[in-house]
Each structure stands twice: as structure tokens, then as C-alpha cells.
Amino acid sequence: DAGVIQSPRHEVTEMGQEVTLRCKLISGHNSLFWYRQTMMRGLELLIYFNNNVPIDDSGMPEDRFSAKMPNASFSTLKIQPSEPRDSAVYFCASSLGTGGPTEAFFGQGTRLTVV
Amino acid sequence: AQSVAQPEDQVNVAEGNPLTVKCTYSVSGNPYLFWYVQYPNRGLQFLLKYITGDNLVKGSYGFEAEFNKSQTSFHLKKPSALVSDSALYFCAVSELNTDKLIFGTGTRLQVFP
């Protein structure tokens, strides 16, 4: 398996534009996590899915952020409209999701810059 | 609520010397603990985990971690540091009955030649 695949690797956009980040899970994994990493706030969990269902979205900053899992292997994180303070590295991670403690596997991340 | 703390922002060590990166935890119930490493411009990579059993857990790249219940600690260790070990290290705890991970703030390890 190629691991968790994120696209794009880098995104530069203007304030107010819509941004869509994409993630392909590892085959057979049932849990999906979106994290955001910044120097100021470190690594923050935005949202957590299990079996395509959002379990915990308490970390989503505001209504401008939305995440979906249209199928078991793919997820998107959308920001609309984007703001400069959204600039960060966004990571997607997946794990087996069998209900117990298990390690998560991370993608390479998308570096988002909003100007 | 489950949480971990990494008290050191940065750890400096000379190549060849032993290294320790500290982590303490606060949990309800049994602790399920993890260590991850992040190299520049990369995602986090899993190093090792403690679920149950032996207090000394061995992981990737020669790293190990010692689970200490009385001190509520899970320190990461390596007997002989390499310059290539320089990276950002994260401790994490699993939330009860889920595979959701709660990460610490990270410790930057710098190994000098």
C-alpha cells in the first residue's frame, strides 16, 4: 500500500477563495483524522470519522470548515471562504478503527498559504 | 479527559550519547501511549506504543520507551544518539474506547556531531 495520500502538497490561494484538500486512506482502514499544525498551536485534531461517519468535529474552527467522506477510502476538507489565519500544514491520518487503541498513519501533509 | 505533557520544548544531545525525551500522562483507566517522530516537511511517523505488558517497549530506529505507572511517565530513550535522529517528537495518548489520539506539544531533539 502506498500509505495515506494527500493532495495537493502545496496550495497558495487568495483570501476569500475556496480551498479543497484531499485525502486517500490506507486500504482497510476505517478511521480518518484531519489535523492542523501551526507553530503557535501545535498539532490540533479538527475532525475524526469512523466508518464514514463524523464522530467528533469539536476541533473544527468554525463554519467555514467542512469535511466529508463520500466513500470509505476518500475524504475532503474544505475551507470556504479562506482567510490568512487558516495558513498551516494540514495532515490526514488513518487507522484500523476497530474500536481500540491503534496507531494512526499520516500523510505527507498539505501546506496551505492564504494571502 | 486524557492528556499528555511534554515538559521540554527542546532537547540537545551530543552524537553517541544517550538521549531521553520526556512525556507524562493523565488518563482515566488504562493508559494507551504512543510516540511519533516528524522529520522536516514530512508527516508524523509511528515509533512505538504501549498497550499492556512489559514496561519497556522497543520501537523503530533503535528507540525504546519506558512506561512508569507510579510516575505516570512514558519517556522515550535511545542508548546512542545519531545526528539523523534530529527531529520533532510527539507523545500521544489514545482516548478511551476509540482510536482517537491526543498529542502533546512536541519536543524538538537536536543531536550535535
Side-chain angles (χ1 to χ4, degrees):
Chain A
D1 200 311
V4 174
I5 300 173
Q6 292 187 246
S7 63
R9 289 295 309 276
H10 302 274
E11 176 80 34
V12 180
T13 191
E14 290 185 347
M15 182 174 63
Q17 296 298 305
E18 177 180 295
V19 175
T20 299
L21 310 182
R22 295 173 175 80
C23 174
K24 183 177 183 302
L25 285 69
I26 292 173
S27 177
H29 282 191
N30 298 310
S31 285
L32 181 281
F33 310 87
W34 281 102
Y35 287 89
R36 178 172 68 177
Q37 187 176 34
T38 61
M39 289 291 291
M40 292 297 294
R41 293 189 297 271
L43 196 62
E44 304 172 276
L45 177 64
L46 300 178
I47 188 168
Y48 157 42
F49 290 87
N50 184 258
N51 290 322
N52 303 0
V53 176
I55 303 299
D56 183 353
D57 65 355
S58 59
M60 294 287 262
E62 48 201 272
D63 292 345
R64 297 185 298 107
F65 285 69
S66 62
K68 293 182 180 179
M69 280 199 75
N71 58 57
S73 60
F74 185 73
S75 177
T76 59
L77 178 68
K78 187 176 294 187
I79 308 172
Q80 166 62 19
S82 58
E83 296 182 3
R85 61 191 168 120
D86 301 331
S87 298
V89 181
Y90 291 81
F91 289 103
C92 172
S94 71
S95 67
L96 285 172
T98 52
T102 185
E103 59 268 32
F105 295 84
F106 282 73
Q108 300 271 47
T110 295
R111 183 175 296 276
L112 173 65
T113 303
V114 183
V115 298
Chain B
Q2 320 288 77
S3 67
V4 290
Q6 295 182 244
E8 302 156 317
D9 290 336
Q10 180 152 333
V11 170
N12 299 317
V13 64
E15 188 174 32
N17 282 2
L19 70 87
T20 299
V21 183
K22 296 180 180 177
C23 173
T24 58
Y25 64 87
S26 175
V27 302
S28 305
N30 295 323
Y32 302 122
L33 299 160
F34 301 76
W35 275 103
Y36 281 78
V37 60
Q38 185 181 27
Y39 297 103
N41 301 313
R42 303 292 296 273
L44 278 70
Q45 295 179 36
F46 169 73
L47 277 179
L48 50 81
K49 65 182 177 184
Y50 173 83
I51 304 299
T52 187
D54 288 342
N55 290 342
L56 187 63
V57 180
K58 294 190 182 297
S60 306
Y61 312 122
F63 284 93
E64 56 190 26
E66 186 172 12
F67 172 70
N68 187 317
K69 189 172 183 178
S70 63
Q71 297 185 3
T72 63
S73 67
F74 188 56
H75 300 334
L76 182 70
K77 300 182 179 186
K78 188 174 183 181
S80 178
L82 299 172
V83 172
S84 57
D85 292 330
S86 299
L88 190 56
Y89 290 81
F90 289 93
C91 181
V93 62
S94 180
E95 213 171 63
L96 279 177
N97 301 321
T98 77
D99 51 357
K100 174 182 167 182
L101 293 177
I102 309 300
F103 284 90
T105 52
T107 298
R108 186 164 300 280
L109 173 67
Q110 189 71 47
V111 181
F112 295 94

